[in-house]
């Protein structure tokens, strides 16, 4: 008895969905072993995404250097990571790194106690001391995750030049100075990876948040700094490829913590497939957890460029490239509508 033709398409969908699920599970388990014992530096570890990213790398056995502008928050993150891990699997490091590597090889499930470094990109005068401190934590850096970002919402005529400079320090000069600081060591060792966690503003600049809720673009100087840092790491990728160093950029829409927490009054669907579809239809932006998992995948696969966005930003990028006049007309109309809405409030 042959299979009815009407059942072929649903059966193929189920088969492909099963293969995709198995593939993701295999990659998830492999990711932990691939980051084990690597020295991973996270620049803004105290943010929602940064702390989630730190948790994933910590569970994977990476040697973390957690950076942030607030020491109390860094200590709180340190306590949560250490208390959340199994004490029997925790490895307290000695000064001799070869002993650490030897013990970790024998006990691959051990986790390392993170190192904490106070880092504030708005204070560029002390950046050289911070770079030295980061290098002294483990003697090298395998992965540098540039996650720091500063956003300001204001019209360009209302934004002071000092604020423009501060935004550029945090979003551009800080990350590139840190990257230049650890680059010589990576070149000497002929290995390493830079991961720039950049918003979609590095590819698509819109003036106001009211133009598109799905894109959540804030201000001119913010978009300018994102464009600049994107260009820097794109150029760096070409220059360091011969040394075995990889450069990855992740462009995401706005980080939506509400999408991750969810509404307490709503019961989530029990079916995993429908839960996934529902999350894509009912939420905008990207959750800190989803972005952190994407960062781990990017580190493992060494993808050069990742765009983490819903269909509307994708379409906007294509329109910006193919129909620029139409794109600019829509943006201008959005600005006028936004200004009118503000006046009516």
């Amino acid at each position: 008895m042959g299979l009815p033709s009407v059942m072929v398409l649903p059966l193929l969908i189920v088969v492909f969905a099963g293969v995709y699920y198995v593939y993701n599970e295999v990659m998830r388990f492999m990711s932990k072993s691939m980051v084990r014992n690597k020295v991973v530096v996270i620049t803004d570890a105290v943010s929602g995404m940064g702390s989630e990213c730190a948790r994933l790398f910590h569970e994977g056995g990476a040697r973390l250097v957690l950076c942030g502008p607030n020491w109390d928050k860094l200590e709180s993150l340190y306590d949560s990571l250490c208390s959340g891990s199994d004490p029997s699997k925790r490895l307290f490091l000695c000064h001799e790194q070869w002993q650490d590597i030897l013990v970790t090889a024998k006990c691959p499930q051990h986790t390392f106690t993170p190192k904490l470094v106070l880092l504030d990109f708005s204070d560029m005068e002390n950046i050289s001391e911070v770079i030295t401190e980061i290098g002294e934590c483990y003697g090298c850096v395998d992965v540098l995750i540039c996650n720091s970002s500063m956003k300001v919402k204001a019209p360009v005529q209302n934004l002071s030049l000092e604020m423009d400079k501060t935004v550029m320090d945090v979003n551009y000069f800080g990350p590139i100075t840190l990257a230049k600081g650890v680059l010589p060591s990576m070149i000497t060792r002929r290995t390493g990876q830079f991961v720039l966690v950049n918003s979609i503003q590095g590819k698509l600049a819109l003036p106001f948040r009211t133009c598109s809720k799905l894109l959540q673009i804030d201000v001119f100087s913010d978009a300018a700094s994102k464009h600049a840092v994107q260009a820097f790491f794109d150029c760096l990728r070409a220059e360091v490829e011969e040394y075995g160093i990889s450069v990855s950029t992740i462009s995401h829409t706005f980080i939506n913590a509400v999408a991750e927490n969810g509404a307490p009054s709503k019961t989530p669907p029990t079916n995993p497939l429908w839960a996934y579809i529902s999350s894509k239809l009912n939420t905008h932006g990207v959750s800190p957890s989803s972005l952190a998992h994407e960062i781990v995948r990017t580190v493992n696969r060494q993808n050069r460029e990742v765009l983490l966005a819903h269909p509307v930003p994708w379409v906007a990028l294509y329109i910006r490239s193919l129909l620029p006049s139409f794109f600019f007309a829509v943006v201008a109309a959005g600005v006028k509508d936004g200004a009118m809405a503000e006046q009516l409030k």
Side-chain angles (χ1 to χ4, degrees):
M1 182 177 179
L3 186 68
S5 58
V6 71
M7 295 294 295
V8 173
L9 182 59
L11 183 60
L12 288 176
I13 294 176
V14 172
V15 171
F16 280 116
V19 172
Y20 181 73
Y21 174 79
V22 172
Y23 171 77
N24 281 337
E25 288 299 308
V26 171
M27 293 303 298
R28 183 172 66 86
F29 284 111
M30 287 181 60
S31 65
K32 292 186 176 181
S33 62
M34 295 179 71
V35 302
R36 184 167 296 128
N37 205 49
K38 285 189 175 182
V39 179
V40 180
V41 179
I42 305 177
T43 58
D44 189 12
V46 297
S47 64
M49 188 279 295
S51 59
E52 181 66 19
C53 192
R55 183 186 65 81
L56 293 177
F57 280 105
H58 180 69
E59 291 177 353
R63 295 184 286 178
L64 287 177
V65 180
L66 305 178
C67 306
N70 188 298
W71 186 256
D72 292 335
K73 291 183 178 180
L74 283 174
E75 289 185 328
S76 177
L77 175 59
Y78 174 91
D79 293 338
S80 66
L81 291 177
C82 292
S83 61
S85 60
D86 187 348
S88 64
K89 297 180 180 179
R90 194 175 307 153
L91 179 62
F92 291 89
L93 299 180
C94 304
H95 292 290
E96 293 80 11
Q97 292 188 8
W98 65 270
Q99 292 182 354
D100 301 338
I101 298 174
L102 181 61
V103 174
T104 305
K106 293 180 179 179
C107 304
Q109 295 301 319
H110 279 309
T111 58
F112 295 88
T113 54
K115 304 287 188 179
L116 306 182
V117 175
L118 195 63
L119 171 62
D120 187 358
F121 281 143
S122 62
D123 183 15
M124 292 295 295
E125 294 181 357
N126 300 322
I127 191 66
S128 58
E129 288 82 358
V130 173
I131 294 174
T132 302
E133 184 179 356
I134 290 175
E136 291 175 348
C137 287
Y138 294 105
C140 65
V141 175
D142 294 310
V143 181
L144 173 61
I145 300 176
C146 295
N147 171 44
S148 300
S149 178
M150 180 179 181
K151 297 179 178 65
V152 182
K153 182 183 178 182
V156 65
Q157 67 270 19
N158 295 342
L159 201 65
S160 67
L161 185 58
E162 290 300 320
M163 181 58 69
D164 284 331
K165 292 179 179 179
T166 302
V167 172
M168 289 298 295
D169 282 342
V170 175
N171 293 352
Y172 176 70
F173 287 110
I176 73 166
T177 303
L178 182 58
K180 289 182 177 182
V182 303
L183 181 59
S185 174
M186 289 185 177
I187 292 177
T188 301
R189 299 171 61 238
R190 302 190 73 86
T191 183
Q193 183 177 9
F194 295 98
V195 179
L196 172 66
V197 184
N198 203 26
S199 77
I200 200 173
Q201 298 172 59
K203 292 181 171 293
L204 186 67
L206 294 177
F208 296 115
R209 181 171 296 182
T210 52
C211 291
S212 174
K213 186 176 181 180
L214 291 179
L215 293 176
Q216 295 286 326
I217 307 303
D218 294 339
V219 73
F220 293 98
S221 59
D222 189 20
S225 62
K226 297 296 185 180
H227 271 69
V229 74
Q230 177 83 30
F232 174 86
F233 279 94
D234 285 344
C235 294
L236 181 65
R237 180 187 296 113
E239 293 184 12
V240 300
E241 186 174 1
E242 61 177 309
Y243 302 108
I245 302 171
S246 63
V247 177
S248 305
T249 58
I250 302 176
S251 302
H252 61 84
T253 53
F254 78 104
I255 299 177
N256 188 357
V258 178
E260 185 175 70
N261 297 332
S265 59
K266 294 183 179 180
T267 304
T270 57
N271 185 289
L273 178 60
W274 177 246
Y276 175 80
I277 296 175
S278 178
S279 66
K280 294 300 181 183
L281 292 177
N282 297 330
T283 62
H284 302 310
V286 57
S287 68
S289 177
S290 299
L291 182 53
H293 280 83
E294 185 60 46
I295 292 172
V296 175
R297 283 192 293 268
T298 301
V299 170
N300 293 329
R301 303 174 186 178
Q302 296 188 348
N303 297 328
R304 294 185 175 184
E305 193 171 48
V306 176
L307 180 59
L308 200 60
H310 289 286
V312 171
W314 277 92
V315 172
L317 284 171
Y318 281 113
I319 294 176
R320 169 67 176 82
S321 300
L322 301 176
L323 300 171
S325 299
F326 175 74
F327 174 82
F328 293 134
V330 172
V331 171
V335 172
K336 294 178 182 178
D337 292 341
M340 185 177 298
E342 290 292 332
Q343 292 177 0
L344 294 176
K345 287 183 179 180

